Amino acid sequence: MAATVLQGVHGRRRSGQGDAFWQFRPFLPGDSATRIDWRQSAKSDRLFIRETEWEAAQTVALWSDASRSMEWTSAPGRPSKRDRADLLLAALASLVLRGGERVRLIGGPGRSHAGRAGLTSLVETVTAVSKSRSLPPSDPSLPRHARAVLIGDFLAPLEEIHQAVAALAARPVRGHILQVLDPEEETLGESNRSYSGRVLFEWASEAGVLVPRVETVRGAYAERLRQHRAGVAAIAAAAGWGFLTHRTDQPAAQALLALWQALAPE
């Protein structure tokens, strides 16, 4: 999927090296040997690279929601929101790494991945990261001026979403939010006979809600979802971030292309 997207877009413009020193970091597979800082490396038994402030800005930090709400799907042959989010995260990471930039996970071990070989280690790290949070955690090790991409259903309360995004934006980090929903979450099963008449909606950790006639609340539900989505978009805009939406019945490559173009330099 990443290769298909690459064939359909122009190459990305890449700036030259920056001037302001940012930090030393360990040499990683895929880094050019010409970037090794031999003076710093001579002080230990490891090789180090000298990063400038511009280079630090070329780190893309990714996060995908893997809380229990993401495991739901409305049809047996349709991917769950979690499967789609993880697929998009891996494919986007592949594109970023092919473009010569580095990738890391928000809330992960703090390691940046570089080069095409970095994709395997990144995916292995995704499977090891805790899968219980519905919003990205605070990440003090995130490089300043990095770019972030958050993928999830973002159905948490708006105040909690605001706190999570504001914490990242304060570093400062600029980014994009991709909201992934199942199509029947958007319409409350408008085309599904299972969502008619009396329906009991249940959650694993909360009391269920019995709706006498789903048809009578579908309009109110759609309006609440519209307001919530508008609230998430406003939170993103206030932070200088972008906001995109995707449904699991749509092609994954469509969302991947939108994210890739959103990350392109202006």
Side-chain angles (χ1 to χ4, degrees), residues 102-259:
R102 292 187 298 279
V103 178
R104 55 162 292 162
L105 297 176
I106 297 176
R111 176 188 174 188
S112 292
H113 305 266
R116 295 195 179 190
L119 184 61
T120 300
S121 56
L122 177 94
V123 172
E124 291 174 349
T125 303
V126 169
T127 62
V129 173
S130 174
K131 294 291 186 178
S132 61
R133 299 184 64 100
S134 60
L135 290 170
S138 175
D139 193 340
S141 66
L142 197 64
R144 288 166 51 86
H145 305 295
R147 289 167 295 165
V149 175
L150 313 181
I151 307 174
D153 59 18
F154 291 93
L155 296 177
L158 291 176
E159 179 58 32
E160 296 180 12
I161 296 174
H162 177 263
Q163 292 175 1
V165 172
L168 291 171
R171 292 204 55 81
V173 169
R174 296 190 64 181
H176 302 273
I177 292 174
L178 176 66
Q179 184 183 50
V180 178
L181 293 179
D182 186 278
E184 295 188 6
E185 280 182 308
E186 284 201 318
T187 65
L188 197 61
E190 186 174 16
S191 60
N192 190 331
R193 293 183 178 180
S194 299
Y195 291 83
S196 60
R198 298 176 75 244
V199 177
L200 176 63
F201 294 88
E202 294 183 299
W203 293 265
S205 59
E206 300 178 21
V209 175
L210 179 62
V211 180
R213 285 187 59 82
V214 173
E215 297 86 345
T216 63
V217 302
R218 188 168 281 129
Y221 173 89
E223 177 60 21
R224 285 288 299 274
L225 179 60
R226 186 197 66 77
Q227 293 177 2
H228 184 83
R229 178 174 282 170
V232 178
I235 290 170
W241 287 34
F243 176 69
L244 303 167
T245 62
H246 176 66
R247 291 186 357 179
T248 55
D249 62 338
Q250 298 171 337
Q254 179 178 317
L256 178 61
L257 178 59
L259 285 173

